Structures are given as C-alpha cells and as structure tokens.
Amino acid sequence: MSVATAALGYRHLLLRRSALLLLLAVLLATSLVADVATGPSSLGFSDVVRVLLNPDAAARPLRVIVWDVRLPYAVMAVLVGAALALAGAEMQTVLNNPLASPFTLGVSSAASLGAALAIVLGVGLPWLPQDWLLTANAFVFAFGSMLLLQALGRLRGAGVEAVVLFGIALVFAFNAAVALLQFVATEQALQQLVFWSMGSLARATWPRIAVLALALLAVTPFCARAAWKLTALRLGEERALSFGIDSRKLRNGAFLRVSLLAGVSVAFVGTIGFVGLVGPHAARLMVGEDHRFFLPAAALSGALLLSLASIASKLVVPGLLVPIGIVTALVGVPVFLALVLTRGRAG
Amino acid sequence: MLAISEFSVGYGRKLVIPPFALAPLPRGSVTALVGPNGAGKSTLLRGLAGLLKARGSARLDGVELVGLPLEFRAHHIAYMPQSLPHGVALTVIETLVGALRASPTDQPVPDAAAQGLQLLQRIGIADLALRRLDQLSGGQKQMVGLAQALVRRPRVLLLDEPTSALDLRFQLAVMELVRELTTECGLITVVVLHDLAQAARHADRLVVLAGGLLQADGTPEEVLTPDLLARVYGLSARVERCSRGQIQVLPDAALS
Ligand SMILES: Nc1ncnc2c1ncn2[C@@H]1O[C@H](COP(=O)(O)OP(=O)(O)OP(=O)(O)O)[C@@H](O)[C@H]1O
Ligand SMILES: [Mg+2]
C-alpha cells in the first residue's frame, strides 16, 4: 500500500467515524421524541415535534403532558445515560479494565448507602431542604466513594488492578451496610428504600435536569482536552509516560470527572447499572478507541440506550411505569449481545 | 553527547542499579546494552527515560536530565518498552497520530498522519497502517511499537529488545534502519539486545551489565571474549569470525 492510499484510508476512517457520531445523534433525537410520544395517552410523532418546537401554540393539556410530564423524564434519561456512559468510558481507559464502570466499582452502592441513611435513620446534611436531603446524601456518598477509591489507588505500590479490586471490595462493604440498615428499618422505610434503589426517572424535575446538564457541560472541555492523552494511555502506561504524559494527573482528573458525573446521576435517579458498562463497549465496537470519537460515542450510546429503555419501561406492563433500572438491563443485554456478535466492522 | 555518572535507579527502596558511570555516548552512535536476564538493562533504560526515579547525573549536551520533569525529558528522549498492551481498539496509524499529538510540550505537528505514514513506509510496514493493533502478529506489533518511538523524532533513542519477536529479514531491516536514522539525525541510540552477534554487527559499542553492575564497555571486538561470556553468562563459548569477518558467538555448554 502506498502512503497516499493509506492517507486516503485514514481520512475515510475519520469520516466514517464522524458519520457514525452523527447517526447516533439522529437516532438519539428520534428516540427522545418517541419517548415523549409514548405513554398512556398516545401522541402522534408530529404532534410531539410541534409542541416541542412551538409550545405556546399548543393546547394547554397537551402542553402540560409534553412539557411538564413526559419531557423531563425523557431528557433525564438522555442525560443520565450520557453521564454514566461517559464516566464508564473514562474509567475503563484509566483503569485499563473493560469491566470498570461506576456501577461495578461501587458508586451506586455508595449512593444507596447514603440514601438508606437518609431514609432509615434520617441522617443527612442538616441545612438542606427536606426534598433534597435524600439526593444530597446519595450524591455525597457516591462522590465520596470515588474519591476514596482514588485515594486507595494512591497508596504505595497500588496499581490500577488494585484500584479495581478495591472498587469491588467497596461494593460488598456498602451493600453489607445497606443490608444492615434494611434489617433495622421500619416496613415503610424499607419499601421506600427498595423503590429508591431500583432506579427511576420519576424523580426527574427541571431543576435536577439543569444540575445534571451543568455537570455534563462542566466536564466536557476537560474530557476534550484529555482525549489525546487518554488515547495514548491505551498504548500502555510506560509508553504514555515516555511521551511525557503525567499518567497520575491524567487519572486523577478522570476520576474527578467520573465522581461528579456518576455521583449526580445516581443521586437523581438511583441505581441504573448496565449503561455505564455497555455504553463504552458499544462505542468501542463502533468507532474504536481514538478518544476524540470514543468519548462522544460512548456518551451518545449511553444516552440512546437509556432513552430506549425509557420507552420500553412504559411498554413492558401497559399502564405501568416500570422502574428504568430494571428495564435497562432487559433492553441492554440484547443490544449488547447484538453488538458483540456483529463486531469486526469497527475497523 | 550523553554523559552518565553516579547514576542509580531502582524500584522504591530496592536499588537495582547502584551508582553507575559510563564513558560519554556521542551523537550518531549505536550502543548495545547486553547482559543476562534480570541484569537491570530495562531498569537502566527506564531510569534514563524518566519512568523511574533516578539519582546521580545524566547530562544530554550539558542539560541535566535527572530531575527534569517528564514532559521536558520526553521532548528529547524516545523510549520503546519491551511490550505492547493487549486488546487495544486502535489502528496502527491512529497510534502514531496519538503518540504525536499526546506529547504535552511538543510543537504542534501540522500533519501527524502524513508523518506517521512516511515512517511506516520507511520501516516497510505501510501496508499495516489501517490494521487494528490487536489483530497484528507479535512481530508486527513490535515494529509498530518501534514506529511509535521513532515518530516523535527524539535526540536520544532507547530501545528495549526491539528485535526479539522479528523474523530474520526484519531483524536485519530494523537494525539497519536504526543505524541509518542514528547516523542521519545524529541520534544517541541505546539498544538492549540478547543476540550478541547481532549486537556486535550493528553496534559501535557494547556495554555489558550483570547484577546491576558494569562488566565491560568497549568495541564488540574488545568486549566479546570467551572469558567474559564465562564470567557474565556462565557459558563456555567460542567467539569466532565467519568468512565475512562478522563476529559469531557459539555457545558450547553451560558452566555449572
Ligand atoms: N517493577 C519492579 N519492581 C521491583 N523489582 C523489579 C521490577 N522490575 C524488575 N525488577 C527487578 O529488577 C531487576 C532488573 O530487572 P530488569 O527488568 O531491568 O532486567 P533486564 O536486564 O531487562 O532483564 P531481561 O533481559 O529479562 O529483560 C530484576 O532483579 C528484577 O527482578
Ligand atoms: Mg528487560
């Protein structure tokens, strides 16, 4: 192959990857509209688009259904999916482990513990309004667990494998603590706790959406700046170091972003496990690991997956909104298997 | 010129290379670093590349490298580690572009892809440019690893066993390329090799390390003697010249 042919091939590769990102974005937009259209009173696709684009012209009941009831859920699904998958992608890269994700390394368990403390014992940050208490507690624990993990990773002699093992140990520790609280909880508190940990978009409100959107916006420039370094880190730690990359600083930055994204997401919607693991894998199969494409593709895949799960959660049992945490895995597993089986076209 | 004196490296408190000095390595020279397994060759290279904390002094054209932050050191030095990671979903050319773009202090490269491709062609593996890294053979991966080091156009080139997985033709091609680039760009090249005949053939100078200590340093003719092979490798061996005058090492038996 001549250099010219190869250069052309490389340019095609970049084009194809950009096109895939665009395709994912289009699919996501479609899924978002479909999500809003789906529900007890079924709306037409075009009606939804019309109300979304021009709310003032729509009839009041329609406007309320679309803007106040369904759109918050649908947008929350997209944002949470994007945040968790982006967090998972960064974790998998900096820990060099395809099984790393906020869920598998303890973020969700930590959030559950925080929630359990608030629900069962009423323990929490004192100066917060009541309806934010649970959320704030879950966030503090989720964020804290990631920082703890990072701190453990800094112990002398601990490598990235050790961090993964620490994370798994944390899952068990937090789960045990939650089980203990469940054991002593009143029946009512127990029910609330179980429902909380199932993961549900029913807690979506516009202020919460704004907080999560801000978190995503805040990390985006840092992700973009780290993209080349993260790509180089895939060539191995020694090589990355020899390129002059401070891998420790890179890792710490990534962990901070992951803590924020995962902490906020889990605090708002509870345990939604699969998407942080599968989003990055789907992205890797589609666009490879050039992080300029990999990170946005992971975010888009995660968002799409959770948006589809949100639609499915309304359809599984007609008339009932099944907690999305349950549906994610049900939708995610077949999607994941299909992707794995059609791999090799990633190029 | 690279001048190394009182240079020591280790892992944490474990000192692998006690204070160590070497006659200066001039530009345009290829030095082969040889020695038995576990001698500390990789450790020495890691220390020079700045991956491990070192003490003492290593001056490159008067600039002290020890203590220089990694990103500045990476400006001068390219290091090729012994291994490439598994399961990386990147194409060969993407890894080269990444290597060029990720270095923090390097000048912005106008066309990293073109630069990478030219190098691949020079090494003779342009046809691998669009292949996935994890779908290459061991030797192909090694060539790509070499390209990742070379593409950064360093002044000092540290190669850890660059030919250990290559077939005969590519062993020759790679070492000749290293020689060419070293002369052409005035590099200071240090190559870890296990094949002593190869080292004798391609290097100007042989540095022998065992147990972290310098055992011999000189031209291949000076260094490669049956006595040294017995002392360092515990091997009874002959050193002979073939009909073309190249040094051959013929092992006979392990000394107990
Ligand atoms: N990460 C590490 N931590 C502690 N000790 C190490 C580490 N890596 C290597 N060593 C030790 O340092 C010594 C030198 O190892 P080094 O890898 O430098 O040998 P080498 O000469 O490159 O050997 P080989 O020819 O097998 O590659 C060995 O005794 C080894 O056990
Ligand atoms: Mg070695």
Side-chain angles (χ1 to χ4, degrees):
Chain A
M1 195 187 326
S2 74
V3 169
T5 327
L8 202 65
Y10 180 60
R11 219 162 309 133
H12 276 159
L13 198 67
L14 295 183
L15 269 178
R16 194 166 74 214
R17 289 183 178 169
S18 309
L20 270 168
L21 286 187
L22 198 67
L23 177 70
L24 277 174
V26 170
L27 285 177
L28 180 60
T30 314
S31 170
L32 180 72
V33 175
D35 192 4
V36 175
T38 314
S41 61
S42 177
L43 306 176
F45 214 83
S46 56
D47 292 335
V48 173
V49 173
R50 196 151 17 83
V51 180
L52 284 179
L53 293 181
N54 193 356
D56 298 327
R60 211 184 115 73
L62 193 61
R63 197 168 70 215
V64 169
I65 292 185
V66 168
W67 277 89
D68 297 347
V69 181
R70 292 196 191 162
L71 192 60
Y73 291 16
V75 172
M76 195 62 154
V78 167
L79 291 181
V80 167
L84 288 177
L86 184 57
E90 289 215 62
M91 278 179 113
Q92 291 182 6
T93 296
V94 296
L95 294 177
N96 188 25
N97 192 315
L99 291 180
S101 82
F103 182 74
T104 44
L105 299 189
V107 180
S108 309
S109 314
S112 292
L113 179 57
L117 282 173
I119 294 171
V120 178
L121 302 180
V123 178
L125 301 171
W127 61 89
L128 276 167
Q130 194 56 36
D131 60 330
W132 282 79
L133 176 74
L134 216 165
T135 310
N137 239 26
F139 172 75
V140 167
F141 271 76
F143 192 79
S145 79
M146 281 288 97
L147 293 186
L148 179 64
L149 197 57
Q150 192 181 3
L152 288 173
R154 277 194 224 162
L155 292 181
R156 235 172 63 84
V160 288
E161 299 85 9
V163 176
V164 174
L165 292 177
F166 284 143
I168 292 170
L170 283 183
V171 173
F172 284 102
F174 289 136
N175 284 351
V178 171
L180 185 64
L181 284 170
Q182 285 174 338
F183 189 67
V184 301
T186 63
E187 202 165 310
Q188 194 203 355
L190 187 62
Q191 197 176 14
Q192 202 189 341
L193 181 56
V194 167
F195 183 70
W196 187 90
S197 48
M198 271 180 200
S200 164
L201 295 170
R203 289 162 226 150
T205 59
W206 285 114
R208 290 177 168 200
I209 288 173
V211 170
L212 183 52
L214 276 178
L216 265 168
L217 266 180
V219 302
T220 303
F222 294 98
C223 287
R225 265 193 49 181
W228 281 120
K229 292 182 188 171
L230 290 168
T231 307
L233 191 62
R234 291 300 293 133
L235 303 179
E237 175 120 22
E238 287 209 312
R239 220 169 271 271
L241 284 168
S242 83
F243 295 161
I245 296 168
D246 186 341
S247 60
R248 171 175 286 211
K249 207 166 110 194
L250 186 64
R251 201 162 274 136
N252 289 347
F255 256 95
L256 215 58
R257 295 191 288 275
V258 168
S259 314
L260 186 67
L261 290 176
V264 174
S265 306
V266 176
F268 284 160
V269 299
T271 306
I272 297 181
F274 206 52
V275 62
L277 187 66
V278 175
H281 281 282
R284 195 173 290 120
L285 290 169
M286 282 184 284
V287 300
E289 284 184 302
D290 179 339
H291 280 59
R292 289 176 298 164
F293 298 104
F294 175 57
L295 293 179
L300 286 171
S301 311
L304 180 61
L305 185 64
L306 213 52
S307 186
L308 291 176
S310 168
I311 297 174
S313 73
K314 300 178 204 171
L315 300 177
V316 186
V317 184
L320 193 70
L321 187 66
V322 177
I324 192 161
I326 299 172
V327 181
T328 317
L330 293 181
V331 177
V333 171
V335 170
F336 185 47
L337 287 182
L339 267 169
V340 171
L341 293 177
T342 56
R343 77 191 297 171
R345 277 193 279 137
Chain B
M1 201 171 72
L2 182 65
I4 296 170
S5 59
E6 291 293 304
F7 190 84
S8 64
V9 217
Y11 301 89
R13 292 217 185 82
K14 180 178 160 197
L15 203 60
V16 173
I17 310 269
F20 175 86
L22 213 55
L25 307 172
R27 285 170 165 272
S29 68
V30 175
T31 304
L33 186 58
V34 301
N37 291 130
K41 305 179 295 294
S42 299
T43 307
L44 180 59
L45 287 202
R46 285 192 197 114
L48 287 173
L51 273 57
L52 290 175
K53 215 172 166 133
R55 283 165 201 268
S57 156
R59 300 176 78 87
L60 176 63
D61 300 331
V63 178
E64 182 57 62
L65 294 177
V66 174
L68 196 67
L70 202 60
E71 50 190 292
F72 296 109
R73 206 191 283 225
H75 208 57
H76 306 300
I77 301 182
Y79 163 64
M80 175 189 173
Q82 233 168 320
S83 58
L84 262 179
H86 307 285
V88 182
L90 286 168
T91 59
V92 170
I93 181 63
E94 281 176 311
T95 68
L96 297 187
V97 174
L100 277 170
R101 296 261 189 239
S103 306
T105 56
D106 282 359
Q107 312 291 329
V109 194
D111 193 348
Q115 199 169 316
L117 288 170
Q118 268 154 20
L119 178 66
L120 287 179
Q121 188 175 45
R122 182 138 189 207
I123 303 182
I125 52 170
D127 52 327
L128 299 182
L130 297 173
R131 293 271 301 279
R132 283 260 303 258
L133 203 59
D134 53 2
Q135 292 168 359
L136 298 182
S137 78
Q140 289 171 329
K141 271 191 199 162
Q142 199 166 34
M143 309 264 277
V144 174
L146 178 69
Q148 287 165 5
L150 291 175
V151 78
R152 299 180 53 248
R153 300 193 171 165
R155 290 202 276 160
V156 177
L157 192 55
L158 306 174
L159 306 175
D160 202 345
E161 301 189 27
T163 60
S164 61
L166 303 186
D167 67 31
L168 279 178
R169 178 169 157 261
F170 274 117
Q171 283 183 23
L172 189 68
V174 159
M175 288 313 294
E176 281 180 347
L177 177 74
V178 167
R179 168 97 259 169
E180 259 172 56
L181 288 172
T182 303
T183 314
E184 194 180 303
C185 311
L187 305 180
I188 298 164
T189 301
V190 180
V191 195
V192 173
L193 292 171
H194 277 301
D195 183 339
L196 296 174
Q198 196 186 26
R201 175 166 180 181
H202 296 286
D204 308 301
R205 182 168 161 193
L206 242 60
V207 170
V208 185
L209 209 60
L213 302 173
L214 183 65
Q215 305 292 329
D217 178 6
T219 63
E221 290 77 15
E222 290 165 5
V223 168
L224 287 180
T225 58
D227 179 46
L228 177 107
L229 294 171
R231 186 157 53 85
V232 171
Y233 290 95
L235 201 62
S236 142
R238 285 164 290 152
V239 178
E240 295 183 352
R241 286 187 180 266
C242 73
S243 53
R244 298 220 170 152
Q246 277 153 10
I247 294 179
Q248 299 295 327
V249 175
L250 307 167
D252 290 322
L255 299 170
S256 52

